[in-house]
Amino acid sequence: MTARDEMAARFAAADPDAIRDLYVQYSGPVTTVAASILRDPQLAQDAVQQTFLNAWRGAHSFDPSRDIAPWLYAIARRAAIDIHRAEQRRRTEGGHDLDVAVTPLAFDRTWEAWEVRRALGELPDDEREIVRLAHFEGRTHSEIAALTGIALGTVKSRSHRAHKRLAHALRHLVDTENVS
Amino acid sequence: MTPDERGEDSAIDVPDALAALLGADTVWTEPPDIADELVARIEQEARLQGDDQPRPAAAGRPRPWRRWAMAGAAAAAVIVGIALVVNSADDDDREPAGVEFAIVGTELAPDASGTGVVQVRPAGFAIIIEIQGLDPAVPGTFYQGWVRSDDGDLVAVGTFHAREDNGPIALWSGVDLDDYPTLTVTTQQIGAGTGSSGEQVLVARFDGS
């Protein structure tokens, strides 16, 4: 039994301590889903908290022999959508125009975002940072080398390894052209 | 523009859609620092779920709260003062005896009021409150319950949002309420740390004073 399997089993047994392990493992992907749907940092935080509370309250319905990620993803997505709708109602009832971003990232793409976040979480810190600088900040390898003080060749090799790991971890998305 | 597009890393083939996700801010958003709050809240719920029936007090001289709770089934008004009413266990066999108290809103929530009941449990004290007139916590905030000693020491007893109508709210204290006789509720900002904001919206005394 892997550590992740053990955590899932403890969680299914409604062990409160397992929620902390679950949070360490999955707060990143849950935050990504919440932020993708809600686009409001405060609402997204509420959705993250509600996700883990709902998960714990529904732990009895989780089958520990299965991967916990899709189950938790569904709870996260539902929590974010519920908060989104409640916020829409609140604003409508208050007579204000809706100015909440409705679906900046379509709901059917939140699973892909979840999986990308999970894959990034599996990278070593130094490789993940290079991916972040390259894709999120749009920096070149030369710029990353200058910024971090790491030799250009090392930056390139870490970037290569990181992208290979990502391609492997996300092959189920890429192969089926689900990332579209 | 990614490094690929600049021709610096042509060996890496990143599909455009994947590159777009890797560049999305949502994929890099840091999760909120709420693990401790979550665990505390869940432990609280777990205790309440596991302790839904009254059990005998521990052997030895009972603490005052335990004496109150035991006596409450037989002789309510004798024990407590004007603001206290002791439930009879005969009223509802499903509910353990408890000591009721009144809750008032502060100047930050002048329309709020409520009642509460303290139930002695084997592992501590369940504090069940029902509040009227308290606005739901605005996004990014929550309500935090505290019990306070007369010396000013605070112990957190649980959080809530008041976003669902009219439901009782279960708080939990592991410390003896004889030593912490005041209940307060503050407004807290998510991610602002575990200390009290000092922004009290509700206050009550368990002993009715």
Side-chain angles (χ1 to χ4, degrees):
Chain A
M1 179 180 278
T2 67
R4 186 168 287 178
D5 292 340
E6 184 188 0
M7 183 269 292
R10 286 194 295 117
F11 179 76
D15 174 358
D17 289 337
I19 201 74
R20 188 184 299 277
D21 296 336
L22 192 75
Y23 193 82
V24 169
Q25 288 270 352
Y26 290 103
S27 58
V30 168
T31 299
T32 289
V33 169
S36 298
I37 292 172
L38 290 162
R39 282 288 175 183
D40 177 314
Q42 292 182 333
L43 293 179
Q45 285 196 9
D46 286 351
V48 172
Q49 183 180 54
Q50 198 60 50
T51 295
F52 285 94
L53 287 172
N54 290 348
W56 188 81
R57 289 166 182 159
H60 61 279
S61 68
F62 170 64
D63 176 358
S65 68
R66 302 177 71 102
D67 184 3
I68 198 170
W71 182 80
L72 189 61
Y73 162 77
I75 294 173
R77 181 172 173 272
R78 170 52 55 192
I81 291 171
D82 285 349
I83 287 177
H84 174 71
R85 288 177 176 162
E87 185 68 5
Q88 279 185 313
R89 280 196 301 274
R90 190 182 70 79
R91 287 171 183 258
T92 302
E93 289 165 2
H96 302 296
D97 292 336
L98 291 177
D99 58 1
V100 175
V102 178
T103 51
L105 189 62
F107 288 170
D108 61 359
R109 294 202 63 198
T110 53
W111 171 247
E112 294 153 8
W114 165 286
E115 287 290 82
V116 169
R117 179 65 176 256
R118 275 186 80 188
L120 287 169
E122 299 292 330
L123 292 179
D125 290 348
D126 55 357
E127 293 180 12
R128 183 170 54 251
E129 178 61 6
I130 285 175
V131 172
R132 189 187 71 80
L133 291 168
H135 290 279
F136 182 57
E137 296 196 5
R139 296 182 184 276
T140 66
H141 287 160
S142 299
E143 288 169 344
I144 293 169
L147 188 71
T148 60
I150 299 171
L152 178 59
T154 304
V155 169
K156 287 186 175 182
S157 62
R158 285 182 185 171
S159 175
H160 184 79
R161 278 198 304 273
H163 284 88
K164 278 186 68 174
R165 288 187 215 270
L166 287 174
H168 179 74
L170 299 171
R171 62 192 183 283
H172 58 296
L173 297 181
V174 176
D175 288 348
T176 58
E177 298 181 348
N178 281 335
V179 179
S180 57
Chain B
M1 181 179 291
T2 67
D4 281 353
E5 291 169 319
R6 298 180 196 197
E8 289 195 0
D9 200 359
S10 57
I12 303 299
D13 181 20
V14 180
D16 288 346
L18 178 55
L21 282 174
L22 288 171
D25 58 348
T26 53
V27 167
W28 299 97
T29 303
E30 285 295 319
D33 182 16
I34 57 171
D36 290 342
E37 183 188 335
L38 264 173
V39 170
R41 188 162 172 179
I42 283 167
E43 285 177 343
Q44 189 180 89
E45 288 192 16
R47 287 191 196 104
L48 289 173
Q49 287 174 6
D51 293 340
D52 57 357
Q53 293 296 324
R55 300 178 192 179
R61 180 177 176 273
R63 297 280 294 188
W65 271 101
R66 292 179 174 80
R67 289 202 302 273
W68 290 359
M70 287 186 289
V78 175
I79 301 173
V80 294
I82 295 172
L84 289 174
V85 178
V86 179
N87 283 346
S88 166
D90 295 336
D91 289 344
D92 185 341
D93 290 341
R94 294 167 301 176
E95 292 296 329
V99 178
E100 293 187 359
F101 58 93
I103 303 168
V104 297
T106 68
E107 65 273 14
L108 295 180
D111 297 330
S113 63
T115 58
V117 61
V118 173
Q119 297 170 348
V120 181
R121 304 291 177 89
F125 298 85
I127 305 167
I128 314 298
I129 62 175
E130 293 197 57
I131 307 297
Q132 298 83 41
L134 181 66
D135 291 335
V138 299
T141 71
F142 59 94
Y143 291 120
Q144 171 82 58
W146 309 85
V147 291
R148 189 179 67 201
S149 73
D150 289 337
D151 294 333
D153 292 335
L154 286 173
V155 175
V157 292
T159 64
F160 60 95
H161 285 100
R163 291 175 186 156
E164 296 174 4
D165 293 337
N166 301 324
I169 298 159
L171 305 174
W172 181 264
S173 173
V175 298
D176 197 316
L177 298 183
D178 280 317
D179 301 324
Y180 290 80
T182 301
L183 173 71
T184 64
V185 173
T186 57
T187 302
Q188 303 285 125
Q189 297 286 330
I190 290 176
T194 56
S196 170
S197 67
E199 297 175 1
Q200 289 183 13
V201 292
L202 299 170
V203 64
R205 287 279 294 189
F206 298 122
D207 59 7
S209 61

